[in-house]
Amino acid sequence: PASPRAARRRERCTPLPPGGTMAEVNVLALMRERLEEAQNERETVREQLKRLENDIQGCMKRMPRRVRENQEQLEDKMRQLEYKRTTESMSLQDEKNLLREIDNAKKSIKDLHTAQEAMDVLNSKRDQRSACYDRVRTLSSALQELTAGIKRVELAQRLGVTSDLLESADVKVPGAKAGELVGRGGQNLRRLQEECGVTARLESKPDPEDGTVDLHLEGTPEGLALALESVRRVVATVTREVSVTPAQRSMLVKNRAALLQELCSVLNVRIDVRGGVRRNEETQGKNTILDVTGVPDAIAALEAHLNSPDFAAEERLPLDVEQIGRVVGKGGENIKKLQTAYPAVDFDVDRDHGKFVIRGTPLEVSRARIGVLAMFEEVLEVEEVIKITNSAHLSALLDKQGEALKAVRSEHEARLDLEREGDLGTENGKRVVALIKVRAPVARLGPAAQSIRDRIAVCDRELVRIEVMCVAVPAIFGKGGSNIKRMREEHGVIIDYEQPDPAAAAKPRLLREVVGLKVEKGVRDEDLLEGFNIH
């Protein structure tokens, strides 16, 4: 033991808590010391209990066989056998059997004494075990009292008051509400103690009569009033279903359900989202049910907040189903860019109805709509059809393996589709020989189509039309188009043959037909050759 001088020195060096006194500090130290001693003693008794249990099991296994008769019956039996042996005449064999029975009776008496001694040892150990159980119960009760006293003193020191100012109260909590009061991992009970400045202890076993559980509260009168009001709110809680729209659900669960957690904390309610907070195909575009647990006033406040016009809005922009992939982008890159630019809103694509959905607050939705429309102009393709009525224009565009059209595709990143088959209609009274369909985003469609028109206009300025008779066409083209190829290479021009108008009078195209007509009119072959410039 420390000397009185050392104890006084330690007492002077011990810092006092706010509102505490030296007497309370000493009492607290003594209570903690006694608590530690009681815990150690209880552990020792529990170890002794384990040893006693092992000893009792061993005694029961080594217990000798039980004899049916008691000692008086065995001794009486021996006297009768001995009297019979001494008073009656019998053969040698019968006498041997009688002596054997007497010896067996003596052994049974000995076994009876041995079994009684083993039973006495077993009963002694059982009595020791009962005493140990009683001691453990006594120590556990003392530990509870010491723990409660220590918490009381610590609470007084934490609140800056003396322990005699603390009060206690007992509340009966319905068994169905006990789990909600404690919370997951005891978080609700801990929050109650921290916010109200009290200590709370909930009994583990409910009352067998009414099924209630006792809650022990201790603290200042003000803290007790706050704690009792909080407990009353928990006891009065109900669970109600609240239906929310997709826009409201998106606001609640975005950013890892940050707004949902904030509402739970502010309103002191519990909100469970049916189907989970993650988006799935079953909940897409449908209302979601929330299971809200709390007092009726808090649930009503939550519904009013969710249904306010400034909480959530939704806008659905029409979208061509075939172009959904262009809007989403590779790996969803376009949606990710929008989400980065407008983090306060949620974007979704309704593939079934061809809609691009924007969800968020009304102000944020209106801001995001401008960015979405700008993105549409960059990625969505529109189509413009250019009608060509002159085959020379078509030849100019297709010359050198379509070099002009390839340049338009590369420069403006546009798609060009050429259609030449079938009846393509008329344009300004002229037959359409080809259609060029230009497909590109809005921002690039105009320049791409204008580039094609500019090339056609250049062709118009440099076009020379020469009319020849049909029979001269094969000679002008040459075998396999050799004459045309030579003139193109020598002069760098485009030469094309325009089909005659089918509405005009039919003209003979074969040389033999023309020759036949000339012969009928009496024309000489030399004039025929000169007329067609055939050499």
Side-chain angles (χ1 to χ4, degrees), residues 237-268:
T237 56
V238 295
T239 301
R240 187 182 302 170
E241 295 182 356
V242 178
S243 178
V244 294
T245 64
Q248 294 170 337
R249 181 185 186 279
S250 175
M251 290 292 295
L252 290 173
V253 303
K254 72 178 181 180
N255 297 332
R256 297 183 179 180
L259 181 58
L260 188 70
Q261 297 176 8
E262 181 180 356
L263 289 174
C264 291
S265 176
V266 172
L267 298 176
N268 195 21

Short mmCIF file of all heavy atoms in Angstrom, two decimals, residues 237-268:
data_model
loop_
_atom_site.label_atom_id
_atom_site.label_comp_id
_atom_site.label_asym_id
_atom_site.label_seq_id
_atom_site.Cartn_x
_atom_site.Cartn_y
_atom_site.Cartn_z
N THR A 237 -44.41 5.84 -33.28
CA THR A 237 -44.13 5.73 -34.71
C THR A 237 -45.05 4.73 -35.39
O THR A 237 -45.52 3.76 -34.79
CB THR A 237 -42.67 5.28 -34.92
OG1 THR A 237 -42.45 4.05 -34.23
CG2 THR A 237 -41.70 6.32 -34.45
N VAL A 238 -45.29 5.02 -36.67
CA VAL A 238 -46.08 4.14 -37.53
C VAL A 238 -45.31 3.96 -38.83
O VAL A 238 -44.37 4.70 -39.13
CB VAL A 238 -47.48 4.73 -37.80
CG1 VAL A 238 -48.29 4.82 -36.54
CG2 VAL A 238 -47.37 6.09 -38.46
N THR A 239 -45.71 2.99 -39.61
CA THR A 239 -45.12 2.73 -40.93
C THR A 239 -46.19 2.97 -41.99
O THR A 239 -47.27 2.39 -41.92
CB THR A 239 -44.57 1.30 -41.02
OG1 THR A 239 -43.58 1.11 -40.01
CG2 THR A 239 -43.95 1.06 -42.38
N ARG A 240 -45.84 3.82 -42.96
CA ARG A 240 -46.80 4.19 -43.98
C ARG A 240 -46.13 4.11 -45.35
O ARG A 240 -44.94 4.37 -45.49
CB ARG A 240 -47.33 5.60 -43.73
CG ARG A 240 -48.47 6.04 -44.64
CD ARG A 240 -48.88 7.46 -44.33
NE ARG A 240 -49.29 7.61 -42.94
CZ ARG A 240 -49.52 8.78 -42.37
NH1 ARG A 240 -49.35 9.90 -43.05
NH2 ARG A 240 -49.90 8.83 -41.11
N GLU A 241 -46.93 3.74 -46.35
CA GLU A 241 -46.43 3.67 -47.73
C GLU A 241 -46.59 5.04 -48.40
O GLU A 241 -47.66 5.65 -48.34
CB GLU A 241 -47.19 2.61 -48.52
CG GLU A 241 -46.98 1.19 -48.03
CD GLU A 241 -47.72 0.18 -48.88
OE1 GLU A 241 -48.45 0.61 -49.79
OE2 GLU A 241 -47.57 -1.03 -48.62
N VAL A 242 -45.52 5.49 -49.05
CA VAL A 242 -45.53 6.76 -49.77
C VAL A 242 -45.09 6.48 -51.20
O VAL A 242 -44.01 5.91 -51.43
CB VAL A 242 -44.60 7.79 -49.10
CG1 VAL A 242 -44.59 9.09 -49.91
CG2 VAL A 242 -45.03 8.06 -47.68
N SER A 243 -45.92 6.86 -52.17
CA SER A 243 -45.61 6.64 -53.58
C SER A 243 -44.92 7.88 -54.14
O SER A 243 -45.36 9.01 -53.93
CB SER A 243 -46.90 6.35 -54.36
OG SER A 243 -46.62 6.20 -55.74
N VAL A 244 -43.81 7.66 -54.87
CA VAL A 244 -43.05 8.75 -55.47
C VAL A 244 -42.92 8.50 -56.97
O VAL A 244 -42.87 7.37 -57.43
CB VAL A 244 -41.66 8.90 -54.83
CG1 VAL A 244 -41.76 9.31 -53.39
CG2 VAL A 244 -40.86 7.60 -54.94
N THR A 245 -42.88 9.58 -57.73
CA THR A 245 -42.71 9.51 -59.18
C THR A 245 -41.27 9.20 -59.53
O THR A 245 -40.38 9.32 -58.67
CB THR A 245 -43.14 10.83 -59.81
OG1 THR A 245 -42.26 11.87 -59.34
CG2 THR A 245 -44.58 11.19 -59.44
N PRO A 246 -40.99 8.82 -60.78
CA PRO A 246 -39.59 8.59 -61.17
C PRO A 246 -38.70 9.81 -60.94
O PRO A 246 -37.53 9.66 -60.58
CB PRO A 246 -39.70 8.23 -62.65
CG PRO A 246 -41.05 7.64 -62.81
CD PRO A 246 -41.92 8.40 -61.86
N ALA A 247 -39.25 11.03 -61.16
CA ALA A 247 -38.44 12.23 -60.93
C ALA A 247 -38.11 12.38 -59.45
O ALA A 247 -36.97 12.71 -59.08
CB ALA A 247 -39.18 13.46 -61.45
N GLN A 248 -39.09 12.14 -58.58
CA GLN A 248 -38.83 12.24 -57.14
C GLN A 248 -37.87 11.16 -56.68
O GLN A 248 -36.98 11.41 -55.85
CB GLN A 248 -40.16 12.13 -56.39
CG GLN A 248 -41.10 13.30 -56.64
CD GLN A 248 -42.48 13.06 -56.08
OE1 GLN A 248 -42.89 11.90 -55.87
NE2 GLN A 248 -43.23 14.12 -55.84
N ARG A 249 -38.03 9.94 -57.21
CA ARG A 249 -37.11 8.85 -56.84
C ARG A 249 -35.68 9.19 -57.26
O ARG A 249 -34.73 8.93 -56.52
CB ARG A 249 -37.57 7.56 -57.49
CG ARG A 249 -36.71 6.37 -57.15
CD ARG A 249 -37.13 5.13 -57.93
NE ARG A 249 -36.40 3.96 -57.48
CZ ARG A 249 -35.16 3.65 -57.88
NH1 ARG A 249 -34.54 4.42 -58.73
NH2 ARG A 249 -34.57 2.56 -57.42
N SER A 250 -35.54 9.76 -58.46
CA SER A 250 -34.20 10.12 -58.94
C SER A 250 -33.55 11.14 -58.02
O SER A 250 -32.35 11.04 -57.72
CB SER A 250 -34.30 10.66 -60.36
OG SER A 250 -33.05 11.11 -60.81
N MET A 251 -34.32 12.11 -57.54
CA MET A 251 -33.76 13.11 -56.63
C MET A 251 -33.33 12.48 -55.31
O MET A 251 -32.33 12.87 -54.71
CB MET A 251 -34.80 14.20 -56.37
CG MET A 251 -35.07 15.10 -57.57
SD MET A 251 -33.65 16.13 -57.99
CE MET A 251 -33.55 17.15 -56.53
N LEU A 252 -34.06 11.48 -54.85
CA LEU A 252 -33.78 10.88 -53.54
C LEU A 252 -32.54 9.99 -53.57
O LEU A 252 -31.76 9.96 -52.61
CB LEU A 252 -34.99 10.08 -53.06
CG LEU A 252 -36.23 10.89 -52.65
CD1 LEU A 252 -37.39 9.95 -52.37
CD2 LEU A 252 -35.93 11.74 -51.44
N VAL A 253 -32.35 9.23 -54.65
CA VAL A 253 -31.32 8.18 -54.65
C VAL A 253 -30.04 8.60 -55.34
O VAL A 253 -29.06 7.85 -55.29
CB VAL A 253 -31.86 6.89 -55.30
CG1 VAL A 253 -33.11 6.42 -54.61
CG2 VAL A 253 -32.14 7.11 -56.80
N LYS A 254 -30.01 9.77 -56.00
CA LYS A 254 -28.78 10.14 -56.69
C LYS A 254 -27.71 10.51 -55.68
O LYS A 254 -28.01 10.83 -54.51
CB LYS A 254 -29.04 11.28 -57.67
CG LYS A 254 -29.30 12.62 -57.01
CD LYS A 254 -29.49 13.70 -58.03
CE LYS A 254 -29.72 15.05 -57.35
NZ LYS A 254 -29.91 16.11 -58.33
N ASN A 255 -26.46 10.50 -56.15
CA ASN A 255 -25.30 10.79 -55.29
C ASN A 255 -25.29 9.91 -54.04
O ASN A 255 -25.16 10.38 -52.91
CB ASN A 255 -25.29 12.27 -54.88
CG ASN A 255 -25.14 13.20 -56.05
OD1 ASN A 255 -24.56 12.85 -57.08
ND2 ASN A 255 -25.68 14.40 -55.94
N ARG A 256 -25.48 8.60 -54.28
CA ARG A 256 -25.45 7.61 -53.20
C ARG A 256 -26.50 7.90 -52.13
O ARG A 256 -26.26 7.79 -50.93
CB ARG A 256 -24.06 7.54 -52.57
CG ARG A 256 -22.98 7.07 -53.54
CD ARG A 256 -21.64 6.95 -52.86
NE ARG A 256 -20.62 6.49 -53.79
CZ ARG A 256 -19.35 6.29 -53.47
NH1 ARG A 256 -18.95 6.51 -52.21
NH2 ARG A 256 -18.49 5.87 -54.37
N ALA A 257 -27.67 8.31 -52.60
CA ALA A 257 -28.83 8.56 -51.73
C ALA A 257 -28.51 9.60 -50.66
O ALA A 257 -28.93 9.48 -49.51
CB ALA A 257 -29.30 7.26 -51.09
N ALA A 258 -27.78 10.65 -51.05
CA ALA A 258 -27.41 11.68 -50.07
C ALA A 258 -28.64 12.43 -49.56
O ALA A 258 -28.78 12.66 -48.35
CB ALA A 258 -26.42 12.66 -50.71
N LEU A 259 -29.55 12.80 -50.46
CA LEU A 259 -30.75 13.51 -50.03
C LEU A 259 -31.65 12.61 -49.18
O LEU A 259 -32.27 13.09 -48.21
CB LEU A 259 -31.51 14.02 -51.26
CG LEU A 259 -32.78 14.82 -50.99
CD1 LEU A 259 -32.47 16.03 -50.12
CD2 LEU A 259 -33.45 15.24 -52.28
N LEU A 260 -31.71 11.33 -49.51
CA LEU A 260 -32.52 10.40 -48.72
C LEU A 260 -32.00 10.32 -47.29
O LEU A 260 -32.78 10.36 -46.32
CB LEU A 260 -32.50 9.02 -49.38
CG LEU A 260 -33.42 7.96 -48.80
CD1 LEU A 260 -34.87 8.31 -49.10
CD2 LEU A 260 -33.09 6.58 -49.37
N GLN A 261 -30.70 10.23 -47.14
CA GLN A 261 -30.11 10.17 -45.80
C GLN A 261 -30.31 11.48 -45.04
O GLN A 261 -30.55 11.48 -43.82
CB GLN A 261 -28.62 9.84 -45.91
CG GLN A 261 -28.34 8.47 -46.52
CD GLN A 261 -26.87 8.21 -46.70
OE1 GLN A 261 -26.03 8.99 -46.26
NE2 GLN A 261 -26.52 7.13 -47.37
N GLU A 262 -30.24 12.59 -45.75
CA GLU A 262 -30.45 13.89 -45.09
C GLU A 262 -31.89 14.01 -44.58
O GLU A 262 -32.11 14.49 -43.45
CB GLU A 262 -30.13 15.02 -46.07
CG GLU A 262 -30.28 16.40 -45.46
CD GLU A 262 -29.97 17.49 -46.46
OE1 GLU A 262 -29.55 17.16 -47.59
OE2 GLU A 262 -30.15 18.67 -46.12
N LEU A 263 -32.86 13.59 -45.38
CA LEU A 263 -34.25 13.65 -44.94
C LEU A 263 -34.48 12.74 -43.73
O LEU A 263 -35.21 13.10 -42.80
CB LEU A 263 -35.18 13.25 -46.09
CG LEU A 263 -35.31 14.26 -47.24
CD1 LEU A 263 -36.14 13.67 -48.37
CD2 LEU A 263 -35.93 15.54 -46.75
N CYS A 264 -33.88 11.56 -43.74
CA CYS A 264 -34.01 10.65 -42.59
C CYS A 264 -33.46 11.29 -41.32
O CYS A 264 -34.03 11.16 -40.23
CB CYS A 264 -33.30 9.33 -42.87
SG CYS A 264 -34.07 8.31 -44.13
N SER A 265 -32.33 11.99 -41.46
CA SER A 265 -31.71 12.61 -40.29
C SER A 265 -32.50 13.81 -39.80
O SER A 265 -32.70 13.98 -38.59
CB SER A 265 -30.27 13.02 -40.63
OG SER A 265 -29.67 13.69 -39.55
N VAL A 266 -32.97 14.65 -40.72
CA VAL A 266 -33.67 15.88 -40.32
C VAL A 266 -35.04 15.56 -39.74
O VAL A 266 -35.43 16.09 -38.69
CB VAL A 266 -33.79 16.84 -41.52
CG1 VAL A 266 -34.68 18.02 -41.17
CG2 VAL A 266 -32.41 17.32 -41.94
N LEU A 267 -35.80 14.67 -40.41
CA LEU A 267 -37.15 14.37 -39.98
C LEU A 267 -37.23 13.23 -38.96
O LEU A 267 -38.31 12.92 -38.47
CB LEU A 267 -38.02 14.02 -41.20
CG LEU A 267 -38.17 15.13 -42.24
CD1 LEU A 267 -38.96 14.62 -43.44
CD2 LEU A 267 -38.85 16.34 -41.63
N ASN A 268 -36.08 12.60 -38.71
CA ASN A 268 -36.02 11.48 -37.76
C ASN A 268 -36.99 10.37 -38.17
O ASN A 268 -37.81 9.90 -37.38
CB ASN A 268 -36.33 11.96 -36.34
CG ASN A 268 -35.93 10.93 -35.29
OD1 ASN A 268 -35.10 10.05 -35.56
ND2 ASN A 268 -36.52 11.02 -34.12
#
